[in-house]
Amino acid sequence: MVGETALAAGLALLTGSAEYLTGEGLLRTLLFALAIAVLSLVRRTLPATVLIAAGALDAATSGGLLLIVAAWSAGRRIKGVLRASAAFTASFVAFEAINLVENRSAVAIAFSVLLFLVMAVVPGITGRYWSQRRALMRTLHERNAQLLRERQMIARQARMRERQRIAQDMHDSLGHQLALIAVQTGALEVSRGLSEQQREAVGVLREASVAAMHELRAVVGVLKDGTVDDGAVEEARAESGVVAGIDGLVESAAAAGTDVRLVRSGEPRPLGAPADHAAYRIVQEGLTNAFKHASGARIAVGLYYEADSLVVEVVNGPVPKGGAAGTAAVSGGQGLTGLRERARLAGGMVRSGPVEDGGFRLAGVLPYGAGPGTTLVGAGDDLRQQPPATAPGDGQRVGDEPVIDPLDPREEFKNIMSVRRSRGCLVGCGVGLLILAGLAVLAVLGVGKLFDEMKKASIDPGVYRSITVGTSEDAVRKKLPSGESFLTSGVKGKGPAEPAGAQCLSLLSTDSPDDIDRDRVYRFCFKGGKLIEKREFVVRND
């Protein structure tokens, strides 16, 4: 609203100033200024009406800027080529009709046609091109968004089918094997031929197989439809929770004869589901690796509740003398990689490596909640290789930058639109340069034509004073221009009465009065082949 009001006021002020400087009355100036301000304000609502009225007003006034603005709006807002053509034609007729009333010479008509093309047709075509380009880009945006949604749906369906296939394979293979292990260890546990220590070890194996079956059920439920079976959650809760689950892991390891202890510090605080599950898996993987690679070594499991995160670590000592340090169990080599990804998705990180005494340490840092400032992922753990954070002093803190996913469809569409936008800008700049070049050529031609017309219509005051009455007509005309110009059409018939039977030639003076609304005229009248009269007078411009 502020911009439209300022534009209307500026157009009214320019037009009113031009009218007042040309000597028009104050009432006429105010009326024209008010009309132009009103038309500028309603040009968005009534584009065709304002265009036609602007053509008539700009022809009748000395402003001319309203027609440019109205043509731009009409080109953008008039729907349909026929309606737009009719509106511009009506505006042209109104523009030419007013000009013909004031000046009917062929040169003036040609100049007014060229002026209308520059002031109305060019802005109108440019505005229409801009509007159609925006409509095209909006349609492309909607179409691309629809294609991206369809692609996401197809990808989700493909992932769901693959997950269901994997879940079915896991259920058919691992489920059968775990059930068999549970049944066999249960039968072996009640055998009379086992010692008490052997029976206790078999019981640990049976409990582990039953817990593995519960976890398998939960994982299969997630793979099938993305939800976890409530019964499986309740059965596996003891194994998946940070407190109860890790306690169970440590107790199972101790029952199997391993020297393992659990250390806690700090006030326990709840974690989110991803961090909770990641903590349990870190302890589970650390104990498993210690069993496989450092059998018989002492193991310490630590849960340290810090101010902003939970630190989980599993540290095993060196392999004792006579202990096994090989890798007898089957290993896929993907445990630590999976842990790092789990911790990254939970906003934390995992580190592992040997310690000074020859043992090995696996530790994870997991934030209590998700949100800004809690992400602890380092650059080395960033699997998607995000760009480096802004250095301090650039106006924002390190880590405040938005993370951009290269696989995000919105980012992909942004890249596509940036390319199309650059191409559209190039095309638009090319069209604009062509229009400017054409206008420059027309301006040069118009200036040259104007100088030619001035040579035909004006003389220097010294030439006027050098001519004396009584000189032959041929001698006088050799010193004077022809006077056949649209610039002299407005002064013919004005001034003092012409001598009876004489043929008069009216020319403009190159030395005009101070008033820009008046012209100095030199008139030469011939009769009988001689100059019988020369007159100098001032006329008013109409």
Side-chain angles (χ1 to χ4, degrees):
M1 293 178 63
V2 173
E4 288 295 321
T5 304
L7 178 62
L11 293 176
L13 180 61
L14 290 175
T15 303
S17 301
E19 285 295 300
Y20 186 77
L21 290 176
T22 56
E24 300 295 341
L26 180 61
L27 180 60
R28 173 189 169 95
T29 300
L30 292 177
L31 289 177
F32 275 123
L34 178 61
I36 287 178
V38 172
L39 290 175
S40 177
L41 292 175
V42 300
R43 62 186 173 85
R44 294 174 179 266
T45 307
L46 303 172
T49 304
V50 173
L51 177 63
I52 298 172
L57 275 177
D58 281 1
T61 62
S62 303
L65 296 180
L66 177 62
L67 183 59
I68 299 176
V69 178
W72 169 268
S73 295
R76 292 187 60 187
R77 298 182 177 276
I78 297 179
K79 297 180 179 179
V81 178
L82 294 178
R83 294 182 59 186
S85 300
F88 276 89
T89 302
S91 178
F92 174 73
V93 171
F95 185 82
E96 289 299 318
I98 300 297
N99 283 326
L100 286 175
V101 172
E102 298 184 355
N103 198 334
R104 299 184 181 182
S105 65
V107 176
I109 294 175
F111 183 78
S112 64
V113 171
L114 179 62
L115 186 63
F116 184 85
L117 291 176
V118 174
M119 296 178 60
V121 176
V122 173
I125 293 176
T126 305
R128 196 161 192 83
Y129 163 77
W130 181 261
S131 177
Q132 291 178 350
R133 182 180 180 277
R134 291 187 61 183
L136 177 60
M137 296 299 292
R138 184 167 54 252
T139 303
L140 289 176
H141 186 284
E142 296 174 355
R143 175 62 176 168
N144 191 75
Q146 180 182 357
L147 292 176
L148 291 177
R149 287 193 298 269
E150 292 176 357
R151 190 181 71 176
Q152 289 178 343
M153 292 174 60
I154 295 174
R156 283 197 296 267
Q157 292 174 359
R159 287 196 299 268
M160 184 63 67
R161 287 195 298 267
E162 184 65 17
R163 289 166 60 175
Q164 290 176 351
R165 184 188 65 79
I166 295 174
Q168 189 64 38
D169 291 344
M170 291 177 61
H171 180 271
D172 294 342
S173 58
L174 295 180
H176 173 72
Q177 298 297 333
L178 290 175
L180 182 61
I181 292 173
V183 172
Q184 294 294 333
T185 53
L188 186 60
E189 188 177 6
V190 298
S191 176
R192 297 180 179 180
L194 297 180
S195 63
E196 188 64 28
Q197 183 178 3
Q198 292 173 334
R199 184 174 287 105
E200 188 175 353
V202 171
V204 172
L205 292 177
R206 183 184 60 80
E207 292 176 358
S209 63
V210 171
M213 289 181 61
H214 294 332
E215 292 189 9
L216 179 63
R217 288 180 57 189
V219 173
V220 168
V222 173
L223 287 175
K224 280 186 176 181
D225 54 7
T227 60
V228 182
D229 181 69
D230 293 336
V233 171
E234 293 299 329
E235 293 173 356
R237 184 176 298 277
E239 287 77 14
S240 62
V242 171
V243 178
I246 291 178
D247 285 343
L249 288 175
V250 173
E251 292 174 359
S252 298
T258 303
D259 185 5
V260 58
R261 61 190 178 91
L262 177 62
V263 180
R264 290 189 179 90
S265 67
E267 182 179 355
R269 295 175 58 181
L271 280 81
D276 182 89
H277 200 247
Y280 176 80
R281 291 303 182 192
I282 289 172
V283 176
Q284 187 181 51
E285 182 69 18
L287 292 176
T288 302
N289 289 340
F291 295 154
K292 291 192 297 183
H293 303 293
S295 178
R298 297 183 61 183
I299 304 174
V301 178
L303 294 177
Y304 308 109
Y305 291 92
E306 303 294 342
D308 58 351
S309 60
L310 170 67
V311 179
V312 183
E313 69 172 7
V314 179
V315 183
N316 63 269
V319 180
K321 294 182 180 181
T327 56
V330 177
S331 176
Q334 301 297 323
L336 293 180
T337 302
L339 283 181
R340 291 190 180 95
E341 178 63 11
R342 283 182 182 273
R344 189 190 70 81
L345 295 176
M349 58 184 176
V350 170
R351 291 288 186 270
S352 60
V355 293
E356 295 180 356
D357 61 357
F360 193 85
R361 178 176 182 267
L362 173 65
V365 182
L366 303 168
Y368 294 123
T374 61
T375 300
L376 305 176
V377 181
D381 289 325
D382 192 356
L383 300 183
R384 292 179 179 174
Q385 296 299 312
Q386 301 297 336
T390 304
D394 291 345
Q396 62 182 128
R397 297 177 302 171
V398 175
D400 285 349
E401 303 82 6
V403 176
I404 299 176
D405 186 356
L407 304 179
D408 192 345
R410 293 173 297 179
E411 298 300 327
E412 178 183 353
F413 174 71
K414 187 182 297 183
N415 295 334
I416 295 173
M417 294 303 293
S418 64
V419 174
R420 292 179 178 175
R421 190 179 295 113
S422 62
R423 292 178 180 175
C425 290
L426 289 176
V427 174
C429 291
V431 173
L433 288 176
L434 290 177
I435 293 175
L436 290 177
L439 293 177
V441 172
L442 292 176
V444 171
L445 295 177
V447 171
K449 181 64 176 176
L450 183 60
F451 276 110
D452 291 339
E453 294 296 321
M454 290 179 64
K455 289 181 180 180
K456 297 178 182 179
S458 60
I459 62 172
D460 188 83
V463 176
Y464 172 78
R465 288 191 294 270
S466 66
I467 298 175
T468 59
V469 177
T471 307
S472 64
E473 181 177 356
D474 294 337
V476 174
R477 288 191 180 273
K478 288 179 180 181
K479 296 181 179 181
L480 302 178
S482 63
E484 299 296 331
S485 172
F486 72 92
L487 296 176
T488 59
S489 60
V491 299
K492 292 181 179 179
K494 295 183 179 180
E498 298 179 359
Q503 294 181 352
C504 296
L505 173 63
S506 297
L507 299 174
L508 299 176
S509 173
T510 57
D511 184 16
S512 299
D514 295 334
D515 190 353
I516 62 173
D517 194 33
R518 299 178 182 277
D519 288 327
R520 191 182 303 279
V521 181
Y522 298 138
R523 190 176 68 186
F524 302 89
C525 296
F526 304 96
K527 185 176 181 181
K530 293 182 179 182
L531 178 65
I532 64 172
E533 181 188 63
K534 69 174 187 177
R535 283 282 186 101
E536 176 185 354
F537 53 90
V538 176
V539 298
R540 178 186 177 86
N541 283 324
D542 293 331

